[in-house]
Amino acid sequence: MKASLTFLGSGTSMGVPTLGCTCAVCTSTDPRNNRMRPSVAIRFHEASERNADARERLVLIDTGQEFRIQALRDHILRVDAVLYTHPHADHILGLDDLRPLTFKNATPTPLYADADTIATIRRIFDYTFRTENRYPTSARVELVEIPTVPGTTIDIHGVLFERVAVIHGRSEITGFRFGSAAYLTDMSDLSEDSIKRLANLDILILDALRREPHPSHSHLDKSIALAQRIGAKRTYFTHISHDLDHGPVSAELPAGIYLAYDGLRLEFEIA
């Protein structure tokens, strides 16, 4: 089954341009150097024989601070589910902007996350999830815990999203494989088990923050080495800081490896 993935954002937690910075990338006229907080939208059509209500489905991975702007730009009219990678601000703070999109759904929109992420979301968005004195126009959502055991899968309208463990500094967070694509943002390293789960990919999306090593994110050379080891047909780097200028860096990347940019849409097989 065909699917598409759109990069809603490909930047870091501070975005690019970064506030207060006048470097060459932050002042660049290349639109590919304008990077909102990292998120993707995945679209696929259900097979009619599996569901009489077959139509396009849309699954988000993360909702950063600019989600409203990203959704307007990408013409997102409804959301069927959201998968969260971890509880940092640049991945969850756009949750409240789901509100008008969830009003259209017959049932609460599921938000899938691990236990730590659920705890943080409940604390920050208490007015959404409290049972008493709940804000009347809160997002119509429900939190669904993702077990962190190896091989965990989530069935979203007939498509399996597999949890892939990702090392993010001192923490283990969540990446996802779906069909022939995988999305691993905020990654500093991968275990051998996770690498095995990424075999035979058409599209691999990896964190590549900057040229210099970083304690909680993979840097350019390390990401290139991981991409070559995993061997996907195409690899795209995301969570890119203002240290990487899209044009010059793209020219030096090995064949089959690319920098992502906001608005880029890729097609792949999802089931």
Side-chain angles (χ1 to χ4, degrees), residues 116-268:
D116 288 344
T117 304
I118 284 177
T120 301
I121 288 174
R122 282 191 183 278
R123 176 172 53 82
I124 294 175
F125 298 98
D126 169 72
Y127 59 89
T128 297
F129 297 101
R130 67 174 62 147
T131 55
E132 295 183 4
N133 300 318
R134 184 174 179 272
Y135 190 66
T137 57
S138 293
R140 297 185 66 245
V141 294
E142 63 176 351
L143 291 164
V144 183
E145 184 175 339
I146 302 174
T148 56
V149 297
T152 292
T153 58
I154 305 149
D155 188 327
I156 302 177
H157 297 289
V159 171
L160 293 180
F161 290 79
E162 180 182 0
R163 182 184 186 271
V164 178
V166 174
I167 299 168
H168 181 30
R170 297 180 179 179
S171 303
E172 179 184 291
I173 66 168
T174 300
F176 296 98
R177 176 174 182 156
F178 33 96
S180 63
Y183 181 76
L184 309 174
T185 186
D186 286 44
M187 171 212 68
S188 56
D189 210 347
L190 294 173
S191 68
E192 289 300 318
D193 178 75
S194 292
I195 289 173
K196 290 177 183 177
R197 295 181 186 279
L198 299 171
N200 303 314
L201 287 173
D202 288 335
I203 295 172
L204 171 65
I205 299 165
L206 289 178
D207 183 348
L209 181 71
R210 63 188 191 187
R211 291 188 185 276
E212 295 77 23
H214 186 278
S216 55
H217 293 273
S218 183
H219 59 284
L220 190 62
D221 285 345
K222 183 173 185 176
S223 295
I224 290 171
L226 276 171
Q228 291 175 327
R229 182 179 176 194
I230 293 167
K233 292 179 181 177
R234 292 177 286 164
T235 297
Y236 293 84
F237 293 152
T238 191
H239 205 287
I240 307 164
S241 78
H242 61 169
D243 293 337
L244 300 184
D245 191 333
H246 190 97
V249 173
S250 294
E252 67 184 67
L253 291 175
I257 301 178
Y258 312 90
L259 293 184
Y261 57 87
D262 293 20
L264 173 64
R265 181 171 291 199
L266 308 173
E267 294 187 351
F268 64 100

